[in-house]
Amino acid sequence: MSGVSFNEAILELPMVTLTIDGKKIEAPANTHVLQVALKNGIEIPHLCYHPELSVSGGCRLCIVEVEGYSQPVPSCGLACTDGLVITTQGERLYELRKNVLDLFISDHPLDCVICEKAGACLLQEYAYEYGIKETTYTPTISSTLYQDDNPFFIRDHQYCILCGRCVRMCDEIVGVHAIDFAKRGFETNIATPYDGPMIESTCVFCGNCVQVCPTAALMPVSRKDKGREWELDHKTTICGYCGVGCQLEYALKGDEILYAQASPDGPVNGELLCTKGRYGWDFVLSPERLTRPLIRRDLAYELGLTSEPWEQPDTSPLADRQPKIEDYFIPVDWEMALDLVASRLAATVNEHDPDSVVGLASARCTNEENYLFQKFIRAGIGTNNVDHCARL
Amino acid sequence: MKTSSGSPTNKKQVKSEGHPSGDDRFKALDRTMKRFNFEKDSLLEVLHDTQEIFGFLSDDLLIYISTHLRVPLSQVYGVATFYHFFTFEPLGKHNCIICRGTACHVKGSDVITQALSEEFAVPIGKTTEDGLFSLTTARCIGSCGLAPVAVLNGAVHGKQTPQSMITLVKDVLEQETEVLEQGEAG
Amino acid sequence: MTLEKLERMAQRERQRQEKFERRIFCCISTACLSAGAGQTINALQEAVDACHCKENDVEVVQTGCMGLCSRGPLVRVEDKSAETLIYADVDVDLSQQIISKHVPMRKLTDESIPEEMQELRENLKKARRRKRLEKHILGMDSPFFAKQEKIVLRNVGHLDPEKIEDYLAHGGYSALRHVLQNMTAEEVCDEILRSGLRGRGGGGYPTGLKWKSMHQEESETKFVVVNGDEGDPGAYMDRTMMEDNPHQVLEGMIIAAYAVGASYGYFYIRGEYPIAVDRIRRAIRTAHRNGILGKNVLGTDFNFDAAVRIGAGAFVCGEETALIHSVEGKRGMPRMRPPYPSTSGLWGKPTIVNNVETMANVPPIINRGADWYANIGTEQSKGTKVFALAGQLTNTGLIEVPMGISLREIVYDIGDDVPGDAEFKAAQTGGPSGGCIPHEHLDTPVDYENLSKLGSIMGSGGLVIIDSTTSMPEFARFFMDFCVDESCGKCVPCRVGTIQIRILLDKIIAGSGEPEDLNKLEDLCHIVKDTSLCGLGQSAPNPVLSTLKFFLDEYIALIPAQEPA
């Protein structure tokens, strides 16, 4: 999104003029320098800053020089004021940032060659930019906890840089606060209560923490061992579940979906998704997915489509085998299925009256399909008994 | 409104809002939280009082506090682990704190800590297996004029040496065994 | 109404005290207590009882710190007809001697004396003949006392901290009364600004400016927080102040609240100081009862109330934004400034955070005027500073000296040199955020600017003397250990940088360092200093940097000589 945001337009904040790298820029007063710089295409490295979240100021990478200040200042928390003169690049800044990155890398295994996040990892990107091959300090990993305790995401603490994006996301936007910082100093980690399994916390598995994680500390289970970032195609689409219409992006390897994420420029949802949109796509390539019309076995016998009479299968848990879909239905072609439905509906309307028919549409269909459906029930059948499942 | 057929004693229990376990210490904890009006901001104060009442912070206590103050459990855990004053394991019956402040350090407090740890076979910050003696350290207890300083069962002892501390602790532990023996004899 | 009542209370207490021929003060602050002051004060009281004096002849008073903590328990005898004397190292035996010397024993017929007292009376009579006493007298003209100037600690050790009457009798709450009756809030800010008082917590920001900017904030709700989270190991000034004269701190706080327009305040006190917590709570309660706190303070339309919040062992909570988070019941992690707490502090409302000692300076300034205060000290640093003098010195304890005094005077006159054969090596100020000052800089005047020029800081007032037996790299590592433990973990330079500094120090101290490790160490220290988020990280490398600067030879000596190729 570009231009003036909703908040800025509503609040009509007074505008101030500041200079960033010699470029005069107008910005609403009290917005932050980093935000304004990024909007104007000026790149400043940052790890803990995220446009959707409150400012933390812990990564110290977005430091800039401010005229009149002896020390560099983090631009993420620096408010725009009139006449502010900012320099975002320079030898001193380069050295300081490089050294801060060096410290980051000393507490982060350099597993890039086997890491699935490689190519989308922010730390890797900055390390490349600042030419850091390995740490000049003694590599010391603060936490090696590996938590693979739920079907959705893996928490691998050795890659965690404690930027706190996930904590702020869970607290400020999702409002669940399932995780928080625990302990302190070098031992700090992001934890559920007592480092327990995610499932025992208040987590709703929306996965928005995974979305904002800049490294491989939070990764979808579904992409484990399935390929690196650059092997994947990204296809943007609209979520098929509810009516909000969130924009999302499937990461594909061939035909296989490896994971879904929100695309940052989605006008409705930004970087947010719910658990259905983010994780509810495994039906796409499911072998159990319906590909042909099915009709009930008892009906098929009546119609002479099969010679086997139908018997209610044994559904008790003690049965020798659990009934499958073939025990209830047989596949037919579309012609036959449509003919059957049409003749049966017509017969019902004729024998009884139109009000004996109810139409229930699906939220998975498009607006247009749903419109047609209610038109068919109202005008075709002649009843107002039409509804919609409304949610999924 | 009469709805339940519970006995009068049951009703009484409900009224006092005690913990289902029947542990009376929860009443004291309830009083603390009530004093602060169950406000979220009082978390630190409540944790302090809880530790005072129960001796340490167990996981069910944190859950209890979290529900009553309506603070997310992860936050309660985060706060409790941030501050080193809180302990998650019960302390020994007798507790010795060695000050590690600058003044005490300069005057050799770590030698005392080491000596006690070796003499009573207890790692620093831990409790002996019989639960009788804990050896912990503190950042500074503010008695720098008397460095090196140790606190044994709440009493401050200044200008200590490894030997004098060992004697002090031995005395305390010997009294304990005497009491035990007397108890067995009686 | 309230004013008259307070005046009457003060008057009554003064009259009561004046009636006594002699008053015997026994220090019961923590240091003296651990040296056995509990037994001493009991012994004093029993002995006095045994003397069966006339009414109003003698009173034993429990009081606060008299300064020379290394010689505790301390007992001071104030006699109307004799010179005031302080006795050091007073045990039970010595306290009987003191009583037998100073208190006349009333002659009684044997029958009227209870049996259990007979023996004690005999002992007292015998005690008079012993001559041990002289050695324990501390001359008031000895440099330890003579070189000090007491403003903040003036009444500490002279009154019973648990009695508001005693504080009132010493002129307590007169500054508050004066402020409420005769001064506008702006005038109070101006007065404090003119006095040149600077924050005593370590930063040294002019208190008046802080108050003024807060005063100008427009907000219905404002807060005052007194920072009593004295986390600096080796310092206990604030503890003494809160334990031994809680009302003076409270009075300063109420004046601050009036000046900035706050209606509620918090004392944030270290959890390790249960007595301080207790005394401040008690002070708040009694102040409440007497109309000094609550609605309509002293009968005016100014409302103010205060509560205590207890810290839980986190040094970083001395940083004001972290402290504010902690008062709110959260993890004490600092946040970026601006916005400063005076704009957005507790629950987003304007808040000032002042150190205990800063607050304790306020009543004397109001009472005696900004000009008087500004006359003490140096050009940039006014007034006095309380130091906790500790480490390898003959005299250790709590001292208050005018700003600008030289370290030499503190070490050699007040501290009376390093005991034994060892020699003075360095003075460490500012705790883990400060640095070590070597012998050649001993003549530096002690004030904010000069200390920071030497790579140290004034800090909150810890002053630890190190003698030649201490290795400086190891001493630096001790502080680094502290910073590693106390780092909150929010920003990388402090969280990871301090660990890496310690790894380098470990390597050097273990004797496996290489020459370039020293450069690496220094560079890393500068990175941590330049890029950390809060004061803790920014000052954490100071002990290493200052020892590298002044004691480089000790580091070099630890590095094995390079074998020629």
Side-chain angles (χ1 to χ4, degrees):
Chain A
M1 275 198 297
S2 60
V4 180
S5 80
F6 175 76
N7 276 342
E8 290 160 21
I10 291 286
L11 295 171
E12 283 182 8
L13 289 169
M15 300 296 274
V16 295
T17 312
L18 65 159
T19 315
I20 305 180
D21 290 345
K23 198 168 138 191
K24 284 230 178 313
I25 292 172
E26 274 226 327
N30 288 324
T31 46
H32 292 139
V33 170
L34 178 59
Q35 192 185 350
V36 171
L38 293 176
K39 245 183 209 171
N40 285 278
I42 299 165
E43 269 304 318
I44 302 172
H46 57 275
L47 282 170
C48 66
Y49 170 81
H50 189 280
E52 304 270 358
L53 306 172
S54 68
V55 169
S56 151
C59 78
R60 316 311 282 173
L61 277 183
C62 68
I63 44 171
V64 291
E65 303 267 14
V66 185
E67 211 178 76
Y69 286 47
S70 59
Q71 290 289 330
V73 184
S75 56
C76 61
L78 181 65
C80 293
T81 48
D82 233 345
L84 206 60
V85 180
I86 307 276
T87 317
T88 69
Q89 305 295 334
E91 207 176 317
R92 185 180 179 203
L93 288 176
Y94 185 86
E95 277 307 312
L96 285 176
R97 284 179 193 154
K98 185 171 176 174
N99 279 301
V100 170
L101 279 167
D102 197 346
L103 287 172
F104 265 121
I105 298 291
S106 77
D107 184 15
H108 186 96
L110 287 182
D111 288 347
C112 301
V113 284
I114 51 146
C115 178
E116 275 120 16
K117 189 85 174 195
C121 170
L122 271 182
L123 187 60
Q124 188 192 37
E125 193 182 317
Y126 293 134
Y128 174 76
E129 200 179 319
Y130 285 81
I132 295 167
K133 197 176 151 204
E134 58 184 2
T135 179
T136 54
Y137 304 111
T138 315
T140 317
I141 307 300
S142 55
S143 170
T144 52
L145 196 60
Y146 179 85
Q147 292 176 300
D148 182 7
D149 53 17
N150 69 78
F152 303 107
F153 51 84
I154 297 166
R155 292 176 287 154
D156 196 346
H157 292 258
Q158 59 177 335
Y159 298 124
C160 179
I161 55 167
L162 295 170
C163 65
R165 284 185 184 190
C166 51
V167 173
R168 278 174 285 150
M169 175 56 88
C170 196
D171 177 33
E172 294 166 11
I173 295 186
V174 184
V176 167
H177 211 128
I179 46 174
D180 203 336
F181 289 97
K183 308 199 196 83
R184 77 174 186 220
F186 196 61
E187 289 174 359
T188 312
N189 68 338
I190 310 283
T192 49
Y194 292 92
D195 276 320
M198 212 70 208
I199 203 91
E200 285 174 14
S201 74
T202 49
C203 180
V204 295
F205 298 101
C206 64
N208 288 319
C209 50
V210 184
Q211 171 100 26
V212 292
C213 180
T215 68
L218 289 168
M219 291 286 270
V221 171
S222 56
R223 71 176 296 189
K224 194 172 185 294
D225 303 331
K226 290 273 179 69
R228 324 277 299 275
E229 201 57 39
W230 55 79
E231 298 172 54
L232 312 180
D233 281 335
H234 289 264
K235 287 273 155 62
T236 303
T237 181
I238 300 294
C239 176
Y241 283 97
C242 76
V244 171
C246 295
Q247 186 168 317
L248 57 75
E249 210 177 80
Y250 287 119
L252 304 159
K253 190 176 181 188
D255 284 340
E256 195 186 351
I257 299 177
L258 292 195
Y259 65 94
Q261 63 181 24
S263 61
D265 38 83
V268 176
N269 56 314
E271 295 225 40
L272 306 172
L273 284 175
C274 74
T275 185
K276 283 181 252 178
R278 195 181 298 276
Y279 297 114
W281 41 259
D282 48 346
F283 61 87
V284 173
L285 287 181
S286 167
E288 287 182 19
R289 192 172 172 180
L290 299 186
T291 49
R292 295 180 60 190
L294 301 171
I295 66 172
R296 268 162 41 195
R297 276 190 174 269
D298 55 338
L299 197 62
Y301 181 70
E302 248 173 63
L303 294 170
L305 293 174
T306 168
S307 55
E308 296 167 41
W310 184 70
E311 263 177 55
Q312 174 80 39
D314 185 358
T315 53
S316 94
L318 300 171
D320 291 341
R321 64 180 276 273
Q322 291 302 309
K324 292 201 166 131
I325 195 143
E326 303 90 66
D327 297 321
Y328 295 91
F329 299 99
I330 60 165
V332 294
D333 56 26
W334 278 104
E335 199 85 349
M336 161 145 316
L338 287 172
D339 278 351
L340 185 66
V341 172
S343 63
R344 284 287 170 124
L345 269 178
T348 311
V349 171
N350 288 336
E351 264 174 52
H352 306 281
D353 64 276
D355 281 344
S356 60
V357 176
V358 172
L360 189 67
S362 166
R364 300 298 311 271
C365 299
T366 61
N367 267 346
E368 291 76 4
E369 287 162 338
N370 272 316
Y371 174 80
L372 281 175
F373 182 76
Q374 65 83 31
K375 198 78 183 168
F376 166 72
I377 297 288
R378 288 207 166 96
I381 308 281
T383 176
N384 284 330
N385 291 345
V386 64
D387 210 342
H388 178 283
C389 72
R391 48 154 61 223
L392 274 169
Chain B
M1 217 167 61
K2 269 186 184 173
T3 47
S4 75
S5 56
S7 63
T9 44
N10 269 346
K11 267 184 200 163
K12 208 175 174 187
Q13 270 177 2
V14 172
K15 212 176 170 186
S16 69
E17 285 179 40
H19 192 258
S21 68
D23 189 337
D24 270 355
R25 291 176 298 179
F26 280 93
K27 282 187 198 161
L29 176 53
D30 286 345
R31 272 199 298 278
T32 296
M33 291 195 282
K34 205 167 177 185
R35 186 156 49 98
F36 288 106
N37 236 339
F38 295 96
E39 273 172 27
K40 292 184 168 68
D41 313 323
S42 64
L43 177 58
L44 213 54
E45 298 293 300
V46 171
L47 288 174
H48 265 295
D49 278 19
T50 311
Q51 180 155 312
E52 203 156 285
I53 297 165
F54 292 86
F56 69 107
L57 301 175
S58 63
D59 46 357
D60 56 329
L61 283 171
L62 291 197
I63 294 170
Y64 190 78
I65 294 167
S66 156
T67 354
H68 282 75
L69 297 183
R70 296 194 199 148
V71 176
L73 184 57
S74 62
Q75 194 182 341
V76 177
Y77 178 70
V79 169
T81 51
F82 182 84
Y83 296 100
H84 285 183
F85 196 80
F86 299 125
T87 161
F88 295 86
E89 283 169 21
L91 277 180
K93 192 168 174 194
H94 302 286
N95 182 22
C96 180
I97 308 167
I98 310 284
C99 179
R100 280 198 295 163
T102 318
C104 295
H105 173 78
V106 172
K107 295 206 169 182
S109 69
D110 43 350
V111 185
I112 299 181
T113 319
Q114 211 52 49
L116 285 179
S117 173
E118 277 163 23
E119 178 72 26
F120 299 100
V122 52
I124 298 156
K126 298 281 179 203
T127 307
T128 49
E129 274 170 28
D130 54 10
L132 277 184
F133 179 64
S134 318
L135 177 64
T136 49
T137 57
R139 266 309 170 193
C140 181
I141 55 168
S143 297
C144 315
L146 291 169
V149 180
V151 184
L152 184 58
N153 289 338
V156 181
H157 300 273
K159 296 181 184 166
Q160 291 300 311
T161 61
Q163 204 42 53
S164 68
M165 261 332 279
I166 289 175
T167 320
L168 276 173
V169 175
K170 263 193 181 149
D171 284 352
V172 168
L173 292 180
E174 265 163 25
Q175 274 171 22
E176 185 68 33
T177 39
E178 273 167 28
V179 170
L180 271 180
E181 278 160 10
Q182 276 170 11
E184 275 163 17
Chain C
M1 180 64 192
T2 321
L3 283 177
E4 288 160 21
K5 200 177 106 196
L6 290 182
E7 191 49 54
R8 269 204 309 278
M9 275 167 76
Q11 197 65 38
R12 244 196 331 263
E13 177 68 16
R14 262 196 296 271
Q15 280 164 2
R16 194 190 69 80
Q17 291 181 6
E18 274 162 18
K19 268 191 251 164
F20 288 104
E21 268 315 302
R22 47 192 73 81
R23 303 180 75 214
I24 297 170
F25 295 82
C26 180
C27 171
I28 51 149
S29 70
T30 314
C32 284
L33 268 185
S34 52
Q39 285 104 317
T40 305
I41 193 164
N42 284 341
L44 286 170
Q45 190 63 54
E46 273 172 21
V48 164
D49 289 346
C51 287
H52 284 271
C53 309
K54 288 184 291 240
E55 206 187 344
N56 296 333
D57 191 19
V58 62
E59 180 189 35
V60 178
V61 186
Q62 52 174 32
T63 187
C65 186
M66 297 180 197
L68 194 53
C69 304
S70 55
R71 300 284 307 272
L74 296 177
V75 170
R76 193 177 65 245
V77 182
E78 286 182 8
D79 197 321
K80 271 186 187 167
S81 50
E83 186 189 12
T84 299
L85 290 173
I86 295 187
Y87 294 96
D89 302 316
V90 182
D91 54 13
V92 172
D93 181 46
L94 206 63
S95 41
Q96 290 180 356
Q97 289 186 47
I98 291 173
I99 297 299
S100 67
K101 180 181 165 192
H102 288 276
V103 182
M105 196 184 289
R106 201 155 120 200
K107 290 215 168 58
L108 294 168
T109 49
D110 282 356
E111 301 86 68
S112 59
I113 305 167
E115 213 168 299
E116 65 270 18
M117 238 171 231
Q118 298 259 13
E119 197 188 328
L120 186 55
R121 280 178 72 97
E122 285 309 309
N123 273 347
L124 285 175
K125 279 177 197 158
K126 268 185 246 161
R128 206 170 306 169
R129 289 192 287 278
R130 268 174 263 161
K131 289 219 170 109
R132 203 156 72 88
L133 207 51
E134 304 305 319
K135 275 185 263 171
H136 290 266
I137 296 176
L138 297 176
M140 292 303 284
D141 48 357
S142 69
F144 182 83
F145 293 106
K147 287 261 174 178
Q148 295 194 46
E149 176 156 1
K150 296 204 170 182
I151 295 175
V152 172
L153 297 177
R154 205 164 88 99
N155 291 328
V156 169
H158 289 262
L159 44 75
D160 183 343
E162 296 193 353
K163 280 167 72 181
I164 191 172
E165 297 90 344
D166 215 351
Y167 183 62
L168 288 168
H170 281 83
Y173 291 111
S174 57
L176 176 65
R177 203 164 59 197
H178 176 69
V179 162
L180 290 179
Q181 284 175 339
N182 311 321
M183 289 172 92
T184 64
E186 271 141 329
E187 281 167 359
V188 180
C189 293
D190 284 335
E191 186 79 1
I192 297 297
L193 190 59
R194 252 176 354 103
S195 74
L197 175 65
R198 294 169 67 173
R200 293 288 191 254
Y205 189 76
T207 308
L209 279 185
K210 206 176 196 174
W211 289 14
K212 231 177 169 161
S213 70
M214 167 101 162
H215 173 75
Q216 283 152 359
E217 285 293 326
E218 277 173 31
S219 172
E220 291 252 315
T221 325
K222 293 182 188 176
F223 294 101
V224 177
V225 178
V226 177
N227 182 353
D229 189 58
E230 191 173 47
D232 176 353
Y236 57 104
M237 305 74 50
D238 296 348
R239 167 191 201 145
T240 306
M241 208 52 225
M242 289 186 287
E243 286 181 2
D244 296 345
N245 199 354
H247 283 287
Q248 188 171 335
V249 187
L250 184 59
E251 186 179 3
M253 181 197 203
I254 306 173
I255 294 171
Y258 175 74
V260 302
S263 53
Y264 206 87
Y266 289 96
F267 274 95
Y268 185 82
I269 306 172
R270 270 187 94 185
E272 286 88 340
Y273 291 174
I275 302 174
V277 170
D278 187 58
R279 295 259 165 88
I280 292 283
R281 277 195 175 140
R282 197 187 286 253
I284 290 175
R285 270 201 307 275
T286 36
H288 234 284
R289 262 206 306 278
N290 291 297
I292 298 166
L293 273 180
K295 248 187 166 327
N296 304 337
V297 173
L298 295 182
T300 61
D301 53 5
F302 171 60
N303 305 322
F304 181 71
D305 219 329
V308 171
R309 285 287 154 103
I310 308 172
F315 179 63
V316 67
C317 288
E319 207 281 340
E320 55 182 5
T321 55
L323 185 148
I324 284 168
H325 283 150
S326 189
V327 172
E328 290 174 358
K330 297 178 185 150
R331 288 167 64 86
M333 309 224 282
R335 63 159 173 77
M336 273 195 289
R337 297 178 299 181
Y340 287 93
S342 57
T343 318
S344 172
L346 268 178
W347 299 288
K349 305 289 180 204
T351 305
I352 50 159
V353 181
N354 274 139
N355 172 267
V356 166
E357 195 187 329
T358 316
M359 287 299 192
N361 265 300
V362 172
I365 291 175
I366 300 291
N367 276 333
R368 304 178 68 175
D371 297 327
W372 161 79
Y373 192 82
N375 263 329
I376 306 164
T378 63
E379 190 61 34
Q380 299 286 322
S381 311
K382 302 293 185 195
T384 56
K385 178 79 194 87
V386 182
F387 284 104
L389 195 56
Q392 310 286 16
L393 273 184
T394 313
N395 292 339
T396 57
L398 204 65
I399 59 166
E400 183 172 356
V401 288
M403 294 274 190
I405 191 174
S406 73
L407 273 172
R408 186 179 299 279
E409 286 170 277
I410 295 181
V411 173
Y412 289 101
D413 297 342
I414 296 177
D416 196 15
D417 208 349
V418 176
D421 297 333
E423 267 174 41
F424 170 87
K425 189 176 201 173
Q428 211 278 347
T429 69
S433 311
C436 295
I437 297 162
H439 202 275
E440 62 262 33
H441 290 285
L442 265 184
D443 288 315
T444 313
V446 174
D447 63 14
Y448 291 97
E449 277 68 29
N450 277 309
L451 287 182
S452 73
K453 252 184 243 160
L454 287 175
S456 184
I457 58 165
M458 175 75 84
S460 58
L463 183 52
V464 181
I465 306 302
I466 308 147
D467 69 13
S468 44
T469 56
T470 306
S471 144
M472 295 315 274
E474 273 181 41
F475 194 54
R477 182 173 62 177
F478 165 75
F479 281 116
M480 223 53 234
D481 262 342
F482 180 87
C483 291
V484 166
D485 250 23
E486 296 297 331
S487 165
C488 81
K490 182 168 180 175
C491 75
V492 187
C494 179
R495 183 180 73 231
V496 185
T498 52
I499 282 274
Q500 292 294 348
I501 293 178
R502 197 181 62 179
I503 291 174
L504 277 172
L505 282 173
D506 280 344
K507 189 178 162 195
I508 292 168
I509 290 168
S512 46
E514 290 151 42
E516 60 264 33
D517 282 337
L518 291 178
N519 291 333
K520 214 165 137 185
L521 183 64
E522 195 177 346
D523 288 347
L524 179 55
C525 285
H526 284 294
I527 291 153
V528 173
K529 210 172 156 72
D530 287 349
T531 56
S532 285
L533 194 156
C534 79
L536 192 155
Q538 286 161 10
S539 59
N542 281 351
V544 180
L545 282 173
S546 78
T547 47
L548 272 175
K549 187 170 162 189
F550 296 121
F551 301 94
L552 186 62
D553 48 338
E554 290 193 33
Y555 283 90
I556 292 174
L558 286 168
I559 302 213
Q562 293 297 87
E563 283 170 33

